[in-house]
Amino acid sequence: MTKETVLYQHGTLGALMAGLMDGTETITNILKKGDFGIGTLSGLDGELIILEGKAFQGREDGALVALDGKQETPYAAVTTFKPTITFPVAGPIDYSKTNKLISEHLKSENLFHAIKIHGKFKTVHVRVMPKQQKPYKRLVEVSKEQPEFEKEMVTGTILGFFTPELFQGVAAAEFHLHFIGDKQTFGGHLIDFELESGVIEIEPMDSLFQHFPKNDETFIHTAIDYADLDKEIQEAE
């Protein structure tokens, strides 16, 4: 019998968008739930990348650093990655065409999927959220000031998730992807790329396990404004 595939998510994108950015779970505990994933760190301090059981932070100064697990996250999504759909891709192919190609191979657009692309890239363009101080602004405002970085001729991995439209706000509907170079010196939230050649791996999820920070007083007592959530996510992502 095939073991059930589970996407474990701590916190929600909707709460993060509303400015609830304090860390409410340690990276060590997140790593107990999966070896592959994405997220951010307390205070929206950069981009969280988890690959092969190791956690990294893409920082606002352009550096990529390994994490020791003591750091905290307000939002992270992880799974134990065991792809069931694998196929090669030959370029040159850009972000838009790659997403279309992946969409054609999804088991269903009604399911969550883990997505991984390893290959040689002609260009990779990422952004990194800058660390915030209280009182926190809504994420859509922060996204207008985020530093961006580009790298040419890099080998690395795109990783993240496809989310069904129904779950917009729990996560970002459709594709939410990060990048990490093989040398582990460059990474962040993926904006664009041109892939020369690589392999795409996909894992459909059976279940979503949504974990809430029930002991965090701010989360418990904040009345979150979701009125423009869909528009704000589209602008920020």
Side-chain angles (χ1 to χ4, degrees):
M1 183 176 179
T2 304
K3 187 176 181 180
E4 185 178 72
T5 56
V6 178
L7 173 59
Y8 179 93
Q9 183 167 287
H10 173 75
T12 66
L13 183 60
L16 193 69
M17 294 294 300
L20 277 66
M21 299 175 182
D22 284 339
T24 49
E25 182 62 283
T26 66
I27 298 302
T28 292
N29 284 339
I30 292 296
L31 290 173
K32 293 176 182 178
K33 303 298 182 179
D35 59 10
F36 174 103
I38 58 176
T40 189
L41 296 171
S42 185
L44 206 66
D45 188 11
E47 308 297 326
L48 174 63
I49 302 162
I50 296 173
L51 183 63
E52 296 178 351
K54 298 178 181 179
F56 301 87
Q57 174 196 19
R59 301 195 318 195
E60 62 182 294
D61 61 1
L64 185 80
V65 298
L67 301 177
D68 61 16
K70 297 177 183 178
Q71 299 82 3
E72 294 186 330
T73 174
Y75 173 77
V78 293
T79 190
T80 300
F81 189 65
K82 295 181 179 180
T84 57
I85 302 167
T86 302
F87 57 94
V89 57
I93 184 170
D94 63 15
Y95 196 170
S96 177
K97 291 180 180 178
T98 302
N99 283 0
K100 183 178 179 181
L101 178 62
I102 292 172
S103 294
E104 293 171 354
H105 286 80
L106 298 178
K107 187 172 183 179
S108 168
E109 291 192 357
N110 298 325
L111 296 174
F112 286 86
H113 292 74
I115 308 293
K116 179 182 177 183
I117 308 170
H118 184 266
K120 296 180 180 179
F121 296 83
K122 184 176 180 181
T123 60
V124 177
H125 183 189
V126 301
R127 58 92 163 146
V128 177
M129 286 293 185
K131 182 174 176 58
Q132 300 300 296
Q133 304 296 331
K134 291 182 177 180
Y136 296 134
K137 296 181 289 187
R138 292 185 72 86
L139 192 147
V140 69
E141 295 301 320
V142 179
S143 69
K144 296 174 182 178
E145 304 169 356
Q146 58 191 341
E148 299 181 9
F149 305 95
E150 293 187 54
K151 199 169 186 65
E152 297 181 350
M153 305 310 297
V154 56
T155 300
T157 301
I158 292 171
L159 68 154
F161 299 97
F162 173 88
T163 295
E165 186 178 353
L166 173 64
F167 292 90
Q168 175 79 310
V170 174
E174 298 189 350
F175 295 98
H176 182 177
L177 304 170
H178 288 188
F179 178 86
I180 181 170
D182 280 0
K183 294 183 179 179
Q184 298 176 358
T185 58
F186 174 78
H189 177 102
L190 191 66
I191 295 178
D192 201 2
F193 65 85
E194 185 172 357
L195 176 66
E196 289 194 334
S197 63
V199 175
I200 297 177
E201 298 176 288
I202 304 172
E203 181 181 19
M205 301 285 104
D206 292 300
S207 302
L208 169 67
F209 188 104
Q210 178 62 62
H211 184 255
F212 296 99
K214 69 175 184 178
N215 296 318
D216 181 69
E217 291 298 316
T218 302
F219 179 81
I220 294 300
H221 297 293
T222 297
I224 300 174
D225 180 4
Y226 294 111
D228 297 317
L229 181 62
D230 182 65
K231 178 182 177 182
E232 289 185 3
I233 291 176
Q234 291 184 43
E235 288 182 18
E237 292 296 319

